[in-house]
Amino acid sequence: EPEVTQTPSHQVTQMGQEVILRCVPISNHLYFYWYRQILGQKVEFLVSFYNNEISEKSEIFDDQFSVERPDGSNFTLKIRSTKLEDSAMYFCASEERASYNSPLHFGNGTRLTVT
Amino acid sequence: AQTVTQSQPEMSVQEAETVTLSCTYDTSESDYYLFWYKQPPSRQMILVIRQEAYKQQNATENRFSVNFQKAAKSFSLKISDSQLGDAAMYFCAYIHQGAQKLVFGQGTRLTINP
């Protein structure tokens, strides 16, 4: 069964550095998402992306964050200047169409540690 | 704002027994969907079961079933004949019609005792 793939599985970076988290959604999917989960807390929505543009973003998704689909297969989340509080698991998800009967497929996540 | 609450941080059950995980939610919307996701140690979030709010019949998927009480805004997950592979974090989630973001509960860690 096709899967959403995220790399790296664990990223350690210093505060103030830029990080790019990579995701390869399932190939025929059109809708893409990033969620994050701070250790011990809820999974939180960050952003949704469709037709090469952001369709919705949360309050968390400030100017430090950006998303891109540079080559039609990868879907990336960039954090320009990381803060300690950005340490979390970041999950990419994709779905074929925006339907609640269309299951949302999640990747295994990237654990980001900001020191 | 919509919220989802899972009041049981941890649950444990003997293998082959039945366990129920609780979830309540708060919304003023009438048209919405509820989900249970499983997150095993591999970390991938896997959809377990889905319920449409307009359906009165409780969803079932093999050993997994829900008790959807719309008036009480309650959406519990029952796992029958628990298996060792059911051990995971379970997240209850909500989305209303027209929205794009899932709202998750805090999660319940389920342990299966052999």
Side-chain angles (χ1 to χ4, degrees):
Chain A
E1 186 176 331
E3 292 184 344
V4 175
T5 307
Q6 289 186 243
T7 54
S9 59
H10 191 190
Q11 173 88 43
V12 181
T13 190
Q14 288 192 325
M15 193 168 54
Q17 295 295 304
E18 174 184 286
V19 292
I20 298 176
L21 309 183
R22 291 184 166 80
C23 170
V24 179
I26 295 172
S27 62
N28 63 332
H29 286 190
L30 301 177
Y31 296 81
F32 313 108
Y33 306 84
W34 283 100
Y35 285 80
R36 81 170 185 190
Q37 183 183 24
I38 294 173
L39 186 64
Q41 297 187 22
K42 294 185 180 188
V43 178
E44 302 171 292
F45 169 81
L46 290 178
V47 65
S48 59
F49 190 86
Y50 169 70
N51 201 26
N52 282 321
E53 59 183 28
I54 290 172
S55 44
E56 186 174 348
K57 60 182 181 179
S58 71
E59 293 176 353
I60 303 166
F61 195 88
D62 62 21
D63 291 344
Q64 292 300 310
F65 291 88
S66 62
V67 289
E68 199 176 35
R69 195 149 190 257
D71 55 12
S73 61
N74 290 285
F75 177 52
T76 61
L77 174 69
K78 182 194 289 186
I79 309 175
R80 286 191 189 82
S81 178
T82 50
K83 303 187 285 286
L84 294 176
E85 53 265 37
D86 293 328
S87 295
M89 282 287 294
Y90 288 82
F91 292 99
C92 174
S94 70
E95 61 185 350
E96 188 174 353
R97 58 189 181 279
S99 161
Y100 308 109
N101 289 321
S102 165
L104 193 59
H105 294 257
F106 283 87
N108 284 5
T110 293
R111 182 177 299 282
L112 177 65
T113 302
V114 182
T115 61
Chain B
Q2 294 83 19
T3 59
V4 177
T5 302
Q6 294 176 248
S7 58
Q8 306 154 315
E10 295 184 356
M11 292 282 285
S12 63
V13 65
Q14 289 294 125
E15 192 176 2
E17 297 292 306
T18 295
V19 64
T20 299
L21 308 184
S22 301
C23 174
T24 58
Y25 59 94
D26 188 25
T27 183
S28 57
E29 302 286 337
S30 59
D31 199 4
Y32 53 87
Y33 302 79
L34 296 161
F35 307 84
W36 278 98
Y37 279 89
K38 170 184 177 181
Q39 186 184 40
S42 66
R43 307 187 309 195
Q44 188 177 21
M45 300 276 280
I46 302 165
L47 179 64
V48 175
I49 199 164
R50 173 198 300 116
Q51 174 81 41
E52 294 88 344
Y54 63 83
K55 289 188 177 177
Q56 293 187 338
Q57 187 171 11
N58 289 324
T60 62
E61 286 288 340
N62 301 314
R63 297 182 295 106
F64 298 86
S65 61
V66 299
N67 183 3
F68 175 47
Q69 301 289 325
K70 191 171 184 179
K73 296 180 180 168
S74 168
F75 182 61
S76 60
L77 174 69
K78 185 170 84 170
I79 306 173
S80 304
D81 185 25
S82 300
Q83 299 175 1
L84 294 177
D86 295 333
M89 282 289 287
Y90 285 82
F91 291 95
C92 179
Y94 160 100
I95 192 167
H96 69 257
Q97 180 70 34
Q100 297 188 31
K101 64 178 184 182
L102 282 167
V103 178
F104 285 87
Q106 304 95 319
T108 296
R109 182 174 301 282
L110 178 64
T111 302
I112 312 294
N113 300 314

